[in-house]
PDB file of all heavy atoms in Angstrom:
ATOM      1  N   ILE A 317     -23.780  59.145-225.368  1.00 93.00           N
ATOM      2  CA  ILE A 317     -24.725  60.210-225.108  1.00 93.00           C
ATOM      3  C   ILE A 317     -24.444  61.381-226.052  1.00 93.00           C
ATOM      4  O   ILE A 317     -25.362  61.946-226.682  1.00 93.00           O
ATOM      5  CB  ILE A 317     -24.657  60.674-223.688  1.00 93.00           C
ATOM      6  CG1 ILE A 317     -25.040  59.540-222.730  1.00 93.00           C
ATOM      7  CG2 ILE A 317     -25.625  61.907-223.455  1.00 93.00           C
ATOM      8  CD1 ILE A 317     -24.918  59.916-221.269  1.00 93.00           C
ATOM      9  N   GLU A 318     -23.108  61.632-226.193  1.00 92.00           N
ATOM     10  CA  GLU A 318     -22.727  62.752-227.098  1.00 92.00           C
ATOM     11  C   GLU A 318     -23.079  62.485-228.555  1.00 92.00           C
ATOM     12  O   GLU A 318     -23.472  63.443-229.261  1.00 92.00           O
ATOM     13  CB  GLU A 318     -21.152  62.915-226.987  1.00 92.00           C
ATOM     14  CG  GLU A 318     -20.660  64.011-227.869  1.00 92.00           C
ATOM     15  CD  GLU A 318     -19.078  64.158-227.743  1.00 92.00           C
ATOM     16  OE1 GLU A 318     -18.489  63.274-227.179  1.00 92.00           O
ATOM     17  OE2 GLU A 318     -18.576  65.125-228.390  1.00 92.00           O
ATOM     18  N   ALA A 319     -23.111  61.255-228.907  1.00 90.00           N
ATOM     19  CA  ALA A 319     -23.472  60.877-230.359  1.00 90.00           C
ATOM     20  C   ALA A 319     -24.887  61.303-230.639  1.00 90.00           C
ATOM     21  O   ALA A 319     -25.288  61.486-231.788  1.00 90.00           O
ATOM     22  CB  ALA A 319     -23.250  59.420-230.530  1.00 90.00           C
ATOM     23  N   GLY A 320     -25.710  61.464-229.600  1.00 85.00           N
ATOM     24  CA  GLY A 320     -27.089  61.803-229.827  1.00 85.00           C
ATOM     25  C   GLY A 320     -27.424  63.195-229.538  1.00 85.00           C
ATOM     26  O   GLY A 320     -28.611  63.650-229.466  1.00 85.00           O
ATOM     27  N   ARG A 321     -26.416  64.066-229.384  1.00 82.00           N
ATOM     28  CA  ARG A 321     -26.669  65.415-228.982  1.00 82.00           C
ATOM     29  C   ARG A 321     -27.449  66.257-229.949  1.00 82.00           C
ATOM     30  O   ARG A 321     -28.227  67.168-229.596  1.00 82.00           O
ATOM     31  CB  ARG A 321     -25.369  66.133-228.625  1.00 82.00           C
ATOM     32  CG  ARG A 321     -24.411  66.274-229.717  1.00 82.00           C
ATOM     33  CD  ARG A 321     -23.150  66.948-229.337  1.00 82.00           C
ATOM     34  NE  ARG A 321     -22.107  67.034-230.486  1.00 82.00           N
ATOM     35  CZ  ARG A 321     -21.010  67.718-230.373  1.00 82.00           C
ATOM     36  NH1 ARG A 321     -20.720  68.332-229.279  1.00 82.00           N
ATOM     37  NH2 ARG A 321     -20.134  67.731-231.372  1.00 82.00           N
ATOM     38  N   ALA A 322     -27.189  65.988-231.277  1.00 76.00           N
ATOM     39  CA  ALA A 322     -27.849  66.848-232.280  1.00 76.00           C
ATOM     40  C   ALA A 322     -29.379  66.675-232.297  1.00 76.00           C
ATOM     41  O   ALA A 322     -30.149  67.649-232.486  1.00 76.00           O
ATOM     42  CB  ALA A 322     -27.334  66.558-233.637  1.00 76.00           C
ATOM     43  N   THR A 323     -29.876  65.452-232.011  1.00 76.00           N
ATOM     44  CA  THR A 323     -31.268  65.269-231.971  1.00 76.00           C
ATOM     45  C   THR A 323     -31.922  65.170-230.601  1.00 76.00           C
ATOM     46  O   THR A 323     -33.081  65.124-230.495  1.00 76.00           O
ATOM     47  CB  THR A 323     -31.540  63.887-232.724  1.00 76.00           C
ATOM     48  OG1 THR A 323     -30.875  62.820-231.877  1.00 76.00           O
ATOM     49  CG2 THR A 323     -31.059  63.803-234.136  1.00 76.00           C
ATOM     50  N   GLY A 324     -31.019  65.223-229.602  1.00 74.00           N
ATOM     51  CA  GLY A 324     -31.561  65.132-228.253  1.00 74.00           C
ATOM     52  C   GLY A 324     -31.833  63.716-227.772  1.00 74.00           C
ATOM     53  O   GLY A 324     -32.306  63.462-226.678  1.00 74.00           O
ATOM     54  N   ALA A 325     -31.381  62.750-228.621  1.00 82.00           N
ATOM     55  CA  ALA A 325     -31.569  61.287-228.251  1.00 82.00           C
ATOM     56  C   ALA A 325     -30.684  60.968-227.061  1.00 82.00           C
ATOM     57  O   ALA A 325     -29.594  61.534-226.934  1.00 82.00           O
ATOM     58  CB  ALA A 325     -31.056  60.443-229.444  1.00 82.00           C
ATOM     59  N   ARG A 326     -31.268  60.221-226.150  1.00 86.00           N
ATOM     60  CA  ARG A 326     -30.576  59.808-224.914  1.00 86.00           C
ATOM     61  C   ARG A 326     -30.195  61.049-224.082  1.00 86.00           C
ATOM     62  O   ARG A 326     -29.213  61.021-223.446  1.00 86.00           O
ATOM     63  CB  ARG A 326     -29.418  58.963-225.209  1.00 86.00           C
ATOM     64  CG  ARG A 326     -29.651  57.605-225.829  1.00 86.00           C
ATOM     65  CD  ARG A 326     -28.464  56.690-225.768  1.00 86.00           C
ATOM     66  NE  ARG A 326     -28.588  55.474-226.395  1.00 86.00           N
ATOM     67  CZ  ARG A 326     -29.256  54.434-225.940  1.00 86.00           C
ATOM     68  NH1 ARG A 326     -29.886  54.510-224.729  1.00 86.00           N
ATOM     69  NH2 ARG A 326     -29.390  53.231-226.578  1.00 86.00           N
ATOM     70  N   GLU A 327     -31.032  62.059-224.135  1.00 88.00           N
ATOM     71  CA  GLU A 327     -30.668  63.236-223.350  1.00 88.00           C
ATOM     72  C   GLU A 327     -29.258  63.788-223.707  1.00 88.00           C
ATOM     73  O   GLU A 327     -28.611  64.359-222.848  1.00 88.00           O
ATOM     74  CB  GLU A 327     -30.812  63.092-221.878  1.00 88.00           C
ATOM     75  CG  GLU A 327     -32.237  63.049-221.312  1.00 88.00           C
ATOM     76  CD  GLU A 327     -33.033  61.892-221.723  1.00 88.00           C
ATOM     77  OE1 GLU A 327     -32.405  60.695-221.872  1.00 88.00           O
ATOM     78  OE2 GLU A 327     -34.222  61.964-221.934  1.00 88.00           O
ATOM     79  N   GLY A 328     -28.827  63.589-224.976  1.00 90.00           N
ATOM     80  CA  GLY A 328     -27.512  64.100-225.319  1.00 90.00           C
ATOM     81  C   GLY A 328     -27.263  65.531-225.500  1.00 90.00           C
ATOM     82  O   GLY A 328     -26.144  66.020-225.556  1.00 90.00           O
TER      83      GLY A 328
END
Side-chain angles (χ1 to χ4, degrees):
I317 298 174
E318 182 181 5
R321 62 181 175 174
T323 61
R326 297 193 183 282
E327 281 72 33

